[in-house]
Amino acid sequence: MYAKCGELSKAYEVLQEASSSDVVSWSALISGCAQQGKGEEALKCFEQMQNKGFSPNSVTYSCVLKACGCIGALEKGEQIHQEIAQQGLLEKRMPIGNTAVDMYAKCGELSKAYEVLQEASSSDVVSWSALISGCAQQGKGEEALKCFEQMQNKGLSPNSVTYSCVLKACGCIGALEKGEQIHQEIAQQGLLEKNDLLFVAAVDMYAKCGELSKAYEVLQEASSSDVVSWSALISGCAQQGKGEEALKCFEQMQNKGLSPNSVTYSCVLKACGCIGALEKGEQIHQEIAQQGLLEKRYHPWQCTCEYVWKMWEYYDGREGVCRFATT
């Protein structure tokens, strides 16, 4: 319970206070760490569990592979994968095979992920989606689309996760036609209304492909929107050099009662820089500073530096920008 609620220290405390523990309780803790993105902690717990003489089961292995994937611990992941293979668990348990594919994909070892997938006695939409996701995250859009085609050729129907990854792949390589086709498929199945992830992915895809009006249209047609979808649109505007449009979208987002996050602020600063909106940029910079985001997040700080440099270029090194740059 504590692990699933994110109270990992409390979960560990309960485990230590127990008169006895077993692989199930340790696996629950390791799973909680992995789900919270605490890969290092998950691996430490795994080591402690083994030091107590407990042998991992398929659930434990899956959680440890997930932990390796989230922190890019390829060497440890390979070691665990070998242990699993030696015990013959890959043939018996499809979820472990899926997690192995996901681990290699997240670690950037796409060829190895594909190899594991091909060697499996059977595969499903989850394992293929993990591979497609890895390709998309690594910016390998063409490879992602090829894997998607192979998956469909095997008679497997994509789910919302698959579609989301494919839309991301289309966006990263500017494959507008394919992206539109996927968007139509999703809409025909009524998935946009059911899954916010797909809706955001569609907005992001159109924005990255330069189809800002279409991205805005998708956003307006949605039954609800959030800061993530608006940030995707604002980001697209900024990337296309449409600073005025980005600021208008930012204003609309705020009028809807949505609070910007660090990604939104980064995009807005970029927009201010590209059109020389010094006053607005200073206002955003102050908001970020007041919220302490400059210390907590890398992106706003980086974009503030980029913004100052853009202002310097735009105003040809005027004194006001010099003063701002030194505050």
Side-chain angles (χ1 to χ4, degrees):
M1 183 274 289
Y2 283 116
K4 286 184 177 178
C5 291
E7 290 292 326
L8 302 177
S9 57
K10 185 65 178 178
Y12 183 78
E13 181 185 323
V14 171
L15 189 60
Q16 292 299 306
E17 290 175 352
S19 56
S20 62
S21 59
D22 57 13
V23 66
V24 176
S25 52
W26 277 100
S27 295
L29 178 58
I30 294 167
S31 174
C33 292
Q35 287 172 0
Q36 295 292 321
K38 306 286 186 179
E40 294 287 353
E41 289 82 345
L43 296 183
K44 287 177 183 176
C45 290
F46 179 62
E47 186 178 351
Q48 286 184 56
M49 186 196 83
Q50 289 182 304
N51 289 340
K52 288 181 178 289
F54 294 117
S55 298
N57 59 21
S58 58
V59 174
T60 323
Y61 278 131
S62 289
C63 297
V64 173
L65 283 174
K66 183 176 181 179
C68 291
C70 77
I71 60 173
L74 178 60
E75 188 174 345
K76 184 66 176 179
E78 286 179 319
Q79 176 195 323
I80 297 298
H81 180 223
Q82 287 174 357
E83 284 185 29
I84 294 168
Q86 287 167 358
Q87 295 179 39
L89 290 174
L90 287 175
E91 292 75 27
K92 299 174 185 176
R93 305 279 184 177
M94 186 182 290
I96 296 184
N98 292 346
T99 313
V101 172
D102 184 59
M103 182 275 294
Y104 282 116
K106 284 182 177 173
C107 289
E109 289 292 321
L110 301 177
S111 58
K112 183 64 178 178
Y114 184 78
E115 180 186 321
V116 173
L117 188 60
Q118 293 299 305
E119 289 176 352
S121 55
S122 62
S123 59
D124 59 9
V125 66
V126 177
S127 50
W128 278 99
S129 296
L131 178 58
I132 294 167
S133 173
C135 292
Q137 287 172 2
Q138 296 292 321
K140 306 287 186 180
E142 294 287 352
E143 289 82 346
L145 296 183
K146 286 177 183 176
C147 290
F148 179 61
E149 186 178 351
Q150 286 185 57
M151 186 196 83
Q152 289 182 303
N153 289 340
K154 289 180 177 290
L156 297 171
S157 299
N159 59 21
S160 57
V161 174
T162 324
Y163 278 131
S164 177
C165 297
V166 173
L167 284 173
K168 182 175 182 178
C170 291
C172 77
I173 60 173
L176 177 60
E177 188 175 344
K178 184 66 176 179
E180 286 179 319
Q181 177 195 324
I182 297 299
H183 180 221
Q184 287 174 358
E185 282 185 30
I186 295 168
Q188 287 168 357
Q189 295 178 43
L191 293 174
L192 283 175
E193 293 75 23
K194 300 175 184 176
N195 195 300
D196 290 340
L197 184 69
L198 286 174
F199 155 65
V200 173
V203 172
D204 185 58
M205 182 275 293
Y206 282 117
K208 284 182 177 173
C209 288
E211 288 292 321
L212 301 176
S213 58
K214 183 63 179 178
Y216 184 78
E217 181 186 321
V218 173
L219 191 59
Q220 292 300 304
E221 289 176 352
S223 55
S224 63
S225 58
D226 59 10
V227 65
V228 179
S229 51
W230 277 99
S231 296
L233 178 58
I234 294 167
S235 173
C237 292
Q239 287 172 2
Q240 296 293 321
K242 306 288 187 180
E244 293 287 353
E245 289 82 346
L247 295 183
K248 286 177 183 176
C249 289
F250 180 61
E251 186 178 351
Q252 286 185 56
M253 185 196 84
Q254 289 182 304
N255 289 340
K256 289 180 177 290
L258 298 171
S259 299
N261 58 21
S262 58
V263 175
T264 323
Y265 279 131
S266 295
C267 298
V268 173
L269 281 175
K270 184 173 182 178
C272 291
C274 76
I275 60 172
L278 177 59
E279 188 176 343
K280 184 66 175 178
E282 286 180 317
Q283 177 196 325
I284 297 298
H285 178 234
Q286 287 173 358
E287 283 185 29
I288 295 169
Q290 287 168 359
Q291 294 179 40
L293 290 174
L294 290 176
E295 293 76 26
K296 296 177 183 176
R297 301 282 184 177
Y298 173 70
H299 286 295
W301 179 87
Q302 181 189 43
C303 288
T304 299
C305 294
E306 181 183 349
Y307 159 72
V308 171
W309 178 250
K310 288 284 186 183
M311 284 299 170
W312 179 269
E313 289 181 327
Y314 190 88
Y315 288 104
D316 197 25
R318 290 184 196 172
E319 185 181 354
V321 181
C322 293
R323 284 201 303 271
F324 175 75
T326 56
T327 56

